[in-house]
């Protein structure tokens, strides 16, 4: 995978994601374009804006006391153990452009070889936002930006022996009941869709839990699976301001008909990853629907007439399966 991100995307909105991807040593190539502003949305101040630099949101110039100091991404990520290659290059002249090309090629080669995480930060001009000619903007990158963001290699462990990355193959679908500890014979009978009614398929799913449990990701996976199956799909996330550990849920619809609304008020399948989410939405599941509950036992006072339930400690099962896979790898 090759990622192409600007300084606002990577260093602001996506700062948490890039930090943890690098810390895990994901075998990806990240190309980070640093032009010191949000150049594609009007020239607002970015985490990389220089002290004193004027922007749409810092008309008097960036102040360390007010906006803080510029964020040095290469230096920050180089403090982590997992990344194998981190370099900052510039586009200030022809020689630098040639070097930038070589560095990006090397980063991609690292990924092909499966060495781990590589990031190339590219100091790039933006004549339109800088209000300069292309040549002036290029010189500004070379003569001004480089004093704040020095070029160079900040991490190179490509020649060091690295711990082999654990590659655990996903279980096949026919193994899922076994992993969950459910025999085929004991699976509750649902309401199978008759062949002649297949065109009326309308699966309404509500996934709920707290941030960090993969609630939104599960909804995305379901939606992607629906697309692969040729269905009409929608995915609508909903989460609190403090996403991790805060409330999180999503609406998913999979149907053969045109979707009128992405909202799922009465899901015929609910996945409840914790008890508060179960109690919040359980009464919305109509008779004939299903509830998959992440717990050892389904709370007796949450049972609804005609609603099928399956309670399993999914989180613990996933952890145990991963540990067994590592032990046999």
């Amino acid at each position: 995978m090759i990622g192409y991100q600007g300084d606002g995307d990577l260093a602001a909105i996506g700062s948490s994601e890039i930090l943890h991807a690098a810390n895990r040593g994901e075998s990806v190539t990240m190309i980070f374009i640093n032009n010191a502003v949000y150049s594609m949305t009007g020239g607002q101040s970015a985490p990389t804006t220089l002290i004193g630099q004027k922007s749409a949101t810092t008309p008097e110039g960036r102040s360390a006391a007010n906006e803080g100091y510029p964020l040095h991404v290469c230096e920050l990520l180089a403090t982590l153990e997992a990344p194998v290659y981190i370099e900052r290059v510039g586009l200030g002249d022809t020689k630098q452009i040639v070097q930038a090309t070589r560095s990006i090629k090397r980063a991609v080669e690292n990924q092909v070889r499966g060495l781990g995480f590589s990031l190339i930060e590219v100091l790039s001009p933006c004549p339109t936002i800088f209000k300069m000619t292309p040549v002036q903007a290029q010189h500004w990158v070379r003569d001004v930006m480089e004093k704040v963001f020095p070029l160079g290699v900040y991490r190179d462990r490509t020649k060091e022996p690295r711990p082999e990355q654990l590659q655990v193959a996903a279980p096949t679908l026919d193994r899922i009941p076994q992993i969950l500890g459910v025999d085929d014979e004991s699976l509750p009978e649902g309401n199978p869709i008759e062949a002649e009614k297949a065109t009326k398929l309308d699966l309404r799913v509500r996934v709920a839990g707290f941030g960090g449990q993969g609630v939104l990701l599960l909804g995305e996976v379901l939606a992607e699976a629906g697309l692969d199956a040729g269905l009409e799909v929608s995915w609508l996330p909903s989460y609190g301001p403090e996403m991790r550990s805060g409330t999180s849920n999503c609406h998913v619809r999979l149907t053969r008909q045109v979707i009128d609304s992405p909202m799922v008020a009465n899901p015929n399948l609910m996945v409840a990853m914790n008890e508060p989410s179960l109690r919040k939405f359980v009464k919305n599941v109509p008779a004939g629907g299903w509830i998959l509950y992440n717990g050892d036992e389904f709370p007796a006072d949450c049972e609804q007439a005609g609603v099928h339930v399956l309670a399993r400690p999914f989180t613990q099962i996933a952890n145990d399966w991963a540990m067994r896979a590592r032990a046999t790898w």
Side-chain angles (χ1 to χ4, degrees):
M1 186 193 83
I2 298 176
Y4 180 89
Q5 296 181 273
D7 33 15
D9 180 18
L10 183 142
I13 304 167
S15 58
S16 172
E17 286 75 9
I18 193 64
L19 183 68
H20 291 290
N23 197 44
R24 291 191 301 269
E26 301 283 359
S27 187
V28 298
T29 301
M30 300 306 302
I31 301 173
F32 168 40
I33 305 300
N34 178 359
N35 50 26
V37 290
Y38 279 86
S39 60
M40 296 183 67
T41 57
Q44 302 92 332
S45 176
T48 51
T49 300
L50 310 186
I51 296 297
Q53 182 180 352
K54 295 181 180 181
S55 72
T57 50
T58 56
E60 301 299 323
R62 178 171 184 161
S63 165
N66 195 50
E67 290 85 25
Y69 292 92
L71 190 65
H72 292 72
V73 172
C74 285
E75 291 85 339
L76 175 64
L77 297 184
T79 65
L80 305 176
E81 293 295 325
V84 296
Y85 192 75
I86 299 174
E87 183 177 1
R88 180 182 291 129
V89 298
L91 303 178
D93 54 39
T94 303
K95 183 178 179 180
Q96 289 186 356
I97 293 173
V98 172
Q99 176 57 37
T101 302
R102 292 172 180 165
S103 300
I104 292 173
K105 179 181 178 181
R106 183 175 180 185
V108 175
E109 290 174 345
N110 292 340
Q111 179 181 343
V112 172
R113 294 166 59 195
L115 297 182
F117 181 90
S118 296
L119 178 136
I120 305 298
E121 178 177 349
V122 183
L123 303 186
S124 176
C126 183
T128 302
I129 298 299
F130 292 171
K131 294 181 173 58
M132 301 178 183
T133 67
V135 174
Q136 289 174 333
Q138 190 176 39
H139 289 174
W140 188 84
V141 169
R142 184 188 63 199
D143 301 333
V144 179
M145 282 192 71
E146 286 183 25
K147 293 179 180 178
V148 179
F149 301 105
L151 306 187
V153 176
Y154 287 82
R155 167 67 61 81
D156 186 358
R157 292 182 175 174
T158 54
K159 295 182 180 180
E160 298 178 19
R162 305 293 298 166
E164 293 195 40
Q165 298 293 318
L166 176 65
Q167 300 293 336
V168 180
T172 56
L173 291 178
D174 59 341
R175 289 192 58 207
I176 298 299
Q178 177 188 358
I179 293 173
L180 297 179
V182 180
D183 297 328
D184 292 339
E185 294 77 10
S186 62
L187 283 172
E189 294 184 3
N191 297 320
I193 301 174
E194 299 175 8
E196 63 271 17
K197 296 181 180 179
T199 57
K200 298 182 180 180
L201 172 66
D202 186 5
L203 182 60
R204 305 180 305 278
V205 184
R206 190 71 170 267
V207 187
F210 60 78
Q213 288 186 304
V215 171
L216 304 187
L217 176 61
L218 176 55
E220 288 185 274
V221 170
L222 289 172
E224 290 286 350
L227 284 176
D228 288 343
L231 301 175
E232 299 289 336
V233 306
S234 66
W235 172 77
L236 180 66
S238 175
Y239 47 85
E242 57 291 306
M243 187 172 175
R244 181 163 295 277
S245 298
T247 59
S248 177
N249 66 89
C250 65
H251 311 242
V252 180
R253 288 191 64 183
L254 308 170
T255 177
R256 298 187 187 280
Q257 307 298 319
V258 175
I259 295 176
D260 53 356
S261 171
M263 296 293 293
V264 177
N266 301 108
N268 46 31
L269 172 61
M270 184 176 81
V271 180
M273 295 300 294
N274 58 16
E275 188 170 338
S277 297
L278 172 67
R279 295 187 178 278
K280 182 175 182 179
F281 298 113
V282 65
K283 293 184 179 180
N284 296 336
V285 181
W290 284 77
I291 298 177
L292 304 183
Y293 176 58
N294 181 33
D296 294 310
E297 295 182 1
F298 194 85
D301 59 339
C302 288
E303 294 182 359
Q304 302 289 315
V307 175
H308 307 283
V309 300
L310 179 62
R312 289 289 185 276
F314 299 120
T315 301
Q316 187 60 49
I317 291 172
N319 290 337
D320 292 344
W321 183 83
M323 293 300 293
R324 289 196 299 272
R326 289 188 177 94
T328 57
W329 180 72

